[in-house]
Amino acid sequence: MSKKPLILGIESSCDETAASLITENDKGIPIVLSNIVSSQVEIHKEFGGVVPELAARSHIEKIDLIVKKAISDSGKKIEDIDAVASTAGPGLIVCLSVGLSFGKAFAKSINKPFIAVNHLEGHALSPRLNSKIEFPYLLLLISGGHSQYLNVQQLGKYKRLGTTIDDALGEAFDKTAKLLGIEFPGGPQIEILAKKGNPNAYDLPKPIINKGGCNLSFAGLKTAVLKISKTIKTDKEKFDLAASFQKTIEEILYKKTKIAFTEFEKQNNSKKKTFVVAGGVAANKKIRSILDKLCEESNYQSIFPPIKFCGDNAAMIAMVGLEKFKLKQFSHLDHPAKPRWSLDEDASFLKGAGVQL
Ligand code: KG4
Ligand code: ZN
């Protein structure tokens, strides 16, 4: 039996320093041997958001330890590693540079290939880390930095169906939380407070709900929350605003996902229809249940990967590395860090909609 590839993955595109070792079984199913994620939430809390300079400094301080721990937890030795894969973009350039340089140097030092990975490709393939999901599938990626619908057709072939034209959904949750006096990252707290409030107390806008296909927009919603937050005096009003915000997001995602289903079906004629939700905001139970309901109504299989693979992690980067390793798709050591890096070569059509690529 031939030796299965062993890949070290490294992730440092934003505020998580992460490393993972993965291999695969005889059926080609990934085996995650270790998955270490060190979050910087405590560092950025007092600033109400990620401070790039501080994030980069923390990556530099921790990356060595995190990689060492990933190797020791995996039960493997450095000499067993067949390739090193690092996130090269999109993300904060000062942060990307840390994991990218470390990965290149590590690969060079063990004389093994280096593989530059698109972070979004990691998210797109992350549901395949723990279940065998057939291509194609529709992915909704909702995190602190990204909000997009992707038609995942096969490894290396992605079609972006829609994306946010301003804020990412996690950002909208965090900004709303900040206005309500909740510490960064406040997304999870909004969900908790919302349970105590009346979701119909405030009529909030749903930007571009009837136009722009399945593109998303949250900036106008944030402005409305800002105005109302200035009038809030009691806890009850605070809970009501959180509940109204949560409900508005559910309605936006329900409607936009329905449009994304139609777009997805136009592009694929496979009988099996699968919808996957990934990214940190996928932890929101109410969002899960509304999208689950939509899937039932529309005859889609819904998949929500485990939270540890939803948020930023290096196992998803190692997995893309593993797939590319098998195809001998190695990168040069001068591969640049790319703060913007679209997964979809044809996405330039979105420029007209004011979308950042
Ligand atoms: O993917 P992720 O872990 O990291 C990056 O985006 O880098 O996503 C983090 C985002 C934050 O904005 C956080 O507030 C949001 O996901 N989030 C949530 C919930 N859990 C995490 N938003 C709403 N409800 C939640 N339960
Ligand atoms: Zn991410």
Side-chain angles (χ1 to χ4, degrees):
M1 202 193 310
S2 64
K3 176 189 178 289
K4 293 292 173 191
L6 178 69
I7 311 293
L8 165 65
I10 297 173
E11 157 64 34
S12 72
S13 63
C14 189
D15 60 343
E16 263 97 24
T17 319
S20 165
L21 260 85
I22 81 164
T23 184
E24 64 178 11
N25 67 15
D26 288 337
K27 292 187 182 129
I29 309 222
I31 303 171
V32 180
L33 299 171
S34 62
N35 183 25
I36 311 295
V37 181
S38 168
S39 166
Q40 301 176 0
V41 162
E42 289 306 319
I43 296 173
H44 303 290
K45 229 174 203 170
E46 64 174 298
F47 304 100
V50 177
V51 183
E53 176 64 30
L54 295 181
R57 202 182 296 178
S58 174
H59 285 311
I60 292 167
E61 283 165 7
K62 286 198 205 132
I63 194 143
D64 193 27
L65 274 178
I66 299 295
V67 169
K68 269 190 191 141
K69 180 145 177 57
I71 297 171
S72 71
D73 279 17
S74 74
K76 301 282 180 186
K77 299 195 196 82
I78 288 185
E79 50 270 32
D80 298 329
I81 296 171
D82 294 299
V84 181
S86 287
T87 302
L92 298 167
I93 191 148
V94 283
C95 295
L96 289 166
S97 304
V98 179
L100 188 61
S101 312
F102 192 96
K104 287 174 182 175
F106 198 104
K108 180 83 183 153
S109 72
I110 59 171
N111 207 16
K112 294 287 163 64
F114 172 72
I115 300 163
V117 173
N118 184 314
H119 179 84
L120 297 174
E121 188 162 24
H123 276 303
L125 299 184
S126 64
R128 292 165 58 86
L129 273 166
N130 73 312
S131 39
K132 191 147 180 60
I133 303 174
E134 305 279 322
F135 294 119
Y137 54 85
L138 175 66
L139 177 92
L140 169 60
L141 170 61
I142 35 178
S143 71
H146 306 281
S147 298
Q148 49 185 260
Y149 291 98
L150 274 181
N151 174 2
V152 182
Q153 293 174 310
Q154 61 182 59
L155 176 80
K157 201 163 175 218
Y158 312 92
K159 279 227 159 288
R160 190 159 69 177
L161 305 178
T163 186
T164 179
I165 61 169
D166 39 58
D167 295 347
L169 183 53
E171 205 180 341
F173 264 97
D174 293 340
K175 285 179 178 168
T176 296
K178 198 173 172 188
L179 291 171
L180 296 181
I182 302 164
E183 272 187 339
F184 170 84
Q189 281 301 315
I190 292 280
E191 185 182 9
I192 294 165
L193 296 192
K195 285 184 195 146
K196 301 183 193 172
N198 170 10
N200 301 314
Y202 299 101
D203 189 17
L204 298 173
K206 299 184 197 101
I208 67 165
I209 195 75
N210 291 318
K211 58 179 182 186
C214 58
N215 285 317
L216 299 156
S217 166
F218 302 107
L221 175 56
K222 179 189 64 195
T223 309
V225 170
L226 170 69
K227 275 191 195 144
I228 298 168
S229 67
K230 287 182 179 158
T231 69
I232 280 182
K233 292 186 183 65
T234 64
D235 272 352
K236 184 187 175 304
E237 286 170 326
K238 188 168 151 176
F239 301 152
D240 285 350
L241 186 51
S244 304
F245 175 82
Q246 167 81 40
K247 185 192 128 201
T248 306
I249 296 297
E250 288 164 25
E251 288 173 357
I252 293 171
L253 291 182
Y254 182 89
K255 174 97 190 268
K256 290 293 183 174
T257 304
K258 217 170 169 173
I259 298 170
F261 282 177
T262 312
E263 293 295 315
F264 178 73
E265 284 157 34
K266 267 189 221 159
Q267 290 184 4
N268 307 283
N269 44 23
S270 64
K271 278 197 198 91
K272 199 160 186 301
K273 296 184 286 186
T274 310
F275 177 56
V276 180
V277 189
V281 187
N284 189 295
K285 292 196 185 65
K286 289 286 300 295
I287 292 179
R288 284 181 175 226
S289 82
I290 197 89
L291 294 175
D292 226 8
K293 178 173 161 274
L294 174 64
C295 283
E296 254 176 52
E297 291 164 6
S298 314
N299 206 15
Y300 270 70
Q301 181 195 7
S302 62
I303 295 177
F304 298 90
I307 304 299
K308 64 180 175 188
F309 298 144
C310 271
D312 286 350
N313 66 84
M316 66 185 192
I317 304 303
M319 187 181 56
V320 177
L322 176 70
E323 294 300 335
K324 290 189 168 223
F325 178 84
K326 290 193 281 186
L327 298 169
K328 294 197 168 34
Q329 290 179 2
F330 307 139
S331 310
H332 290 291
L333 288 180
D334 61 357
H335 193 290
K338 295 167 125 184
R340 285 191 188 167
W341 186 2
S342 173
L343 257 191
D344 183 348
E345 298 299 327
D346 303 330
S348 52
F349 74 93
L350 291 166
K351 266 188 188 149
V355 171
Q356 288 201 335
L357 296 173

